[in-house]
Amino acid sequence: HVQHSGPHTPLQHSHYASSHIHVHTQPQGQASGHTHAKHPTQRHSQQPPAASSAQPGSGPPQQQQPAAHHNPKHAHAKANRKGEAESNRFANVQLEELEGTIFDVCKDQHGCRFLQKKLEDGQENHVSMIFKEVLPHFSSLMTDPFGNYLCQKLLEHCSESQRTQIVASVAPDLVNVSLNMHGTRAVQKMIESLSKQEQIDTIIDALRECVVMLIRDLNGNHVIQKCLSRLNGKNNQFIYDSVAASCTDVATHRHGCCVFQRCIDYATGTQKMQLVEVIISKALALVQDPFGNYVVQYILDLNVPDYSEPLITKFFGHICGLSVQ
């Protein structure tokens, strides 16, 4: 007997009942009428033994040969030797030997590592050689499972002039790359590496019309958050304008409500008021939304009377209805 400290909930009664199941055994040879299959009326019939491969008149069946013994240690050792051979393919290779094929090497796991090492070595002629062959394909490499790592490394070690060329070449495809599970990481690295206003302006122009779509995307929202954390208030204004104009679409979305809160975190005083005003105007609808209510709570948690007092007045006359939701 189990004592409960309070009244039973329906869930507790269900669990208690399900834990007291009597199993009735059947006499040997008698079929049971209860099964655990999805279709209770279906009976499990015993499968007949496998038929002999011998045909009538063909003589006695041949004796089955025993299966060959499999040694997992040998298989593991063979796999290791193969992996070592793959990783050693570039051990004695000079970068100059790969001239004209670097784009293909970028998409190879071990080739990509080899090229990254060459970039880390910092020889200007090697960086220039890799940059020259990668630049026309930079957008596609950013979405490649291996190539995206080379793109990130090249953004670290290239010159300012080369970085400006990379940003300009990727700009037309930047939104689509940002939506990709590999591309989003490379775009975030690009945003981290921006150092000239010309580069920043190119990124802003490429993202400006798709801010809300990116915010609501599993991968794209991280690109917008990277802009918030790395760019200054003036350069980030395009994000605040888009979020304020589409407040409901952003605040009531699973990813959008989180990005909305990050917008408040990184906002200047003017930008914060821009968002708070639009939240106040839509507060009654947002507070009843599974995701929007978190944005409303976030404003209240700021403990700024100029924000919270006009927000609370929006709930007057609706307190009882909101309290039972």
Side-chain angles (χ1 to χ4, degrees):
H1 297 284
V2 181
Q3 293 184 350
H4 298 278
S5 59
H8 290 295
T9 64
L11 180 60
Q12 290 171 333
H13 282 299
S14 174
H15 175 72
Y16 181 78
S18 64
S19 64
H20 291 70
I21 300 176
H22 300 282
V23 180
H24 300 280
T25 59
Q26 297 292 338
Q28 186 174 5
Q30 181 177 351
S32 172
H34 301 281
T35 68
H36 295 288
K38 293 183 180 179
H39 303 287
T41 59
Q42 183 179 357
R43 295 289 193 268
H44 294 285
S45 60
Q46 183 177 2
Q47 297 295 328
S52 171
S53 60
Q55 299 296 326
S58 62
Q62 297 180 354
Q63 183 178 1
Q64 185 177 0
Q65 296 295 325
H69 180 66
H70 176 70
N71 190 330
K73 292 184 178 180
H74 291 170
H76 183 67
K78 183 177 180 180
N80 284 341
R81 288 194 298 270
K82 182 178 179 181
E84 291 175 0
E86 285 291 318
S87 61
N88 290 332
R89 279 189 298 133
F90 298 92
N92 299 314
V93 174
Q94 299 298 316
L95 183 62
E96 290 74 12
E97 299 175 29
L98 301 177
E99 187 173 4
T101 65
I102 289 179
F103 170 60
D104 293 324
V105 175
C106 291
K107 296 180 289 184
D108 177 86
Q109 180 180 6
H110 303 292
C112 180
R113 290 177 179 173
F114 170 78
L115 294 175
Q116 290 181 68
K117 182 65 170 60
K118 291 301 180 182
L119 291 173
E120 291 171 352
D121 290 343
Q123 294 187 33
E124 186 176 345
N125 61 323
H126 287 172
V127 175
S128 297
M129 180 183 299
I130 295 173
F131 168 79
K132 179 181 177 181
E133 296 198 26
V134 164
L135 181 62
H137 312 283
F138 209 89
S139 294
S140 64
L141 283 176
M142 291 175 82
T143 61
D144 184 81
F146 301 119
N148 80 90
Y149 294 107
L150 181 79
C151 292
Q152 295 181 53
K153 188 66 66 174
L154 183 56
L155 286 165
E156 289 182 21
H157 295 279
C158 66
S159 66
E160 288 293 344
S161 174
Q162 291 170 337
R163 188 177 296 113
T164 299
Q165 294 180 63
I166 291 174
V167 171
S169 71
V170 172
D173 305 309
L174 194 62
V175 172
N176 288 333
V177 174
S178 299
L179 299 174
N180 180 270
M181 63 181 297
H182 305 298
T184 183
R185 299 179 182 275
V187 174
Q188 291 174 64
K189 187 67 176 182
M190 178 177 289
I191 293 170
E192 287 181 358
S193 69
L194 299 177
S195 56
K196 299 290 184 181
Q197 189 62 43
E198 178 185 0
Q199 301 166 5
I200 296 172
D201 291 341
T202 302
I203 296 294
I204 292 173
D205 291 340
L207 300 179
R208 187 189 303 276
E209 300 301 324
C210 300
V211 171
V212 175
M213 180 182 71
L214 290 170
I215 287 176
R216 290 164 60 93
D217 182 76
L218 174 65
N219 300 309
N221 80 87
H222 297 290
V223 171
I224 298 301
Q225 293 191 57
K226 183 62 67 173
C227 288
L228 289 170
S229 65
R230 299 292 295 189
L231 305 183
N232 61 35
K234 179 181 177 181
N235 290 325
N236 268 336
Q237 186 59 45
F238 76 103
I239 297 176
Y240 289 90
D241 291 340
S242 296
V243 170
S246 303
C247 172
T248 301
D249 290 339
V250 174
T252 59
H253 188 268
R254 179 183 300 274
H255 305 307
C257 72
C258 298
V259 178
F260 206 117
Q261 294 173 58
R262 299 293 79 75
C263 286
I264 294 172
D265 291 340
Y266 292 108
T268 64
T270 303
Q271 290 169 337
K272 191 172 295 186
M273 181 57 71
Q274 181 183 10
L275 297 184
V276 169
E277 287 178 350
V278 71
I279 288 294
I280 292 173
S281 68
K282 302 177 184 297
L284 190 58
L286 291 176
V287 78
Q288 300 177 72
D289 182 81
F291 301 112
N293 79 89
Y294 291 107
V295 177
V296 176
Q297 292 183 59
Y298 205 74
I299 300 297
L300 293 172
D301 287 339
L302 295 175
N303 292 321
V304 179
D306 290 342
Y307 301 161
S308 57
E309 290 178 3
L311 182 58
I312 293 171
T313 59
K314 292 292 183 178
F315 306 143
F316 288 174
H318 305 279
I319 300 298
C320 292
L322 294 174
S323 299
V324 296
Q325 287 190 1

